[in-house]
Amino acid sequence: KQIDIRATADDGPDAQTYINGYVSPEREYLQLDIQGRGTYIDFMHSFTESFLSNISGHAHGDVRLSGPLSTLQLTGQLIVDGYATVAPLGTTYTLRGDTVLFIPDEIELHRVPVYDKYDNTAYLIGGIHHQNLTNLTFDLAVDTDNLLAYDFSSFGDQSFYGTVFAAGNVAIQGRPGRVTIDCNVTPQKNTVFT
């Protein structure tokens, strides 16, 4: 009346994921304890595909996927090293050993430093919200004194292009299919906008 699971996802010497737990079809319940030891974070793309692309990196830590099959929750924390591209801005940002917290119905970021390709720093605060891993929304805030905030080298399909270094605050909100990016920033040295 229960399927016990003890598994290892082996993606190479520095990327293992250990999964222990069970699925009970009779009780319609699942509990999986997941230990990330270099686990690839590419799965995060499904949470953030409306505004992030090219997500790559590794995570270390422990999370638990559990609950009735109709109301699953993900809890725990991971330490993440990786990068992601904010497609509408043409910029790629890096995380270095930063903590991501999973609580019921939310993935939280508490003043996580992010770095642009020139090693300028910004701080990311906010969360990705969900209802039992469905109906995703997000509210993120970025605070910086100087960060590469926009980076396109030609017009493409746009009416402008440029490289913008900015100081100020940015709010990113939305859900799959709809993203709002509100900026209150001041251009910094080396900004070129055409």
Side-chain angles (χ1 to χ4, degrees):
K1 298 182 180 182
Q2 176 173 300
I3 301 167
D4 293 325
I5 298 170
R6 177 163 284 170
T8 301
D10 186 351
D11 288 319
D14 297 325
Q16 313 253 272
T17 305
Y18 303 101
I19 305 164
N20 294 302
Y22 65 89
V23 177
S24 174
E26 180 181 64
R27 293 184 295 136
E28 297 184 359
Y29 195 88
L30 174 137
Q31 180 173 311
L32 298 176
D33 294 317
I34 303 165
Q35 298 176 335
R37 302 297 179 259
T39 301
Y40 285 108
I41 62 169
D42 302 38
F43 72 92
M44 288 299 295
H45 184 68
S46 63
F47 289 100
T48 60
E49 65 186 339
S50 58
F51 68 101
L52 291 180
S53 63
N54 195 28
I55 296 173
S56 186
H58 298 274
H60 296 266
D62 300 322
V63 294
R64 174 177 278 178
L65 179 62
S66 63
L69 295 178
S70 61
T71 57
L72 290 172
Q73 290 293 335
L74 189 60
T75 57
Q77 76 176 29
L78 295 173
I79 307 298
V80 178
D81 290 288
Y83 62 86
T85 299
V86 181
L89 303 178
T91 55
T92 298
Y93 300 109
T94 302
L95 296 163
R96 299 178 188 153
D98 297 309
T99 300
V100 178
L101 190 63
F102 296 80
I103 62 172
D105 293 328
E106 189 154 340
I107 301 169
E108 291 185 342
L109 304 164
H110 296 279
R111 198 159 167 75
V112 171
V114 295
Y115 305 90
D116 67 18
K117 67 183 180 181
Y118 301 106
D119 221 26
N120 298 314
T121 307
Y123 295 93
L124 181 62
I125 303 162
I128 300 170
H129 320 290
H130 58 88
Q131 296 171 333
N132 310 115
L133 304 178
T134 63
N135 301 321
L136 300 171
T137 61
F138 47 88
D139 291 291
L140 301 170
V142 180
D143 183 26
T144 185
D145 291 328
N146 185 38
L147 186 75
L148 179 63
Y150 186 84
D151 195 26
F152 287 98
S153 59
S154 67
F155 285 111
D157 294 334
Q158 305 296 321
S159 56
F160 52 85
Y161 72 93
T163 298
V164 176
F165 292 89
N169 303 298
V170 177
I172 304 170
Q173 299 175 321
R175 60 180 180 263
R178 190 183 117 217
V179 178
T180 302
I181 301 175
D182 289 322
C183 301
N184 182 10
V185 296
T186 303
Q188 300 297 297
K189 183 179 177 181
N190 298 320
T191 293
V192 177
F193 196 68
T194 304

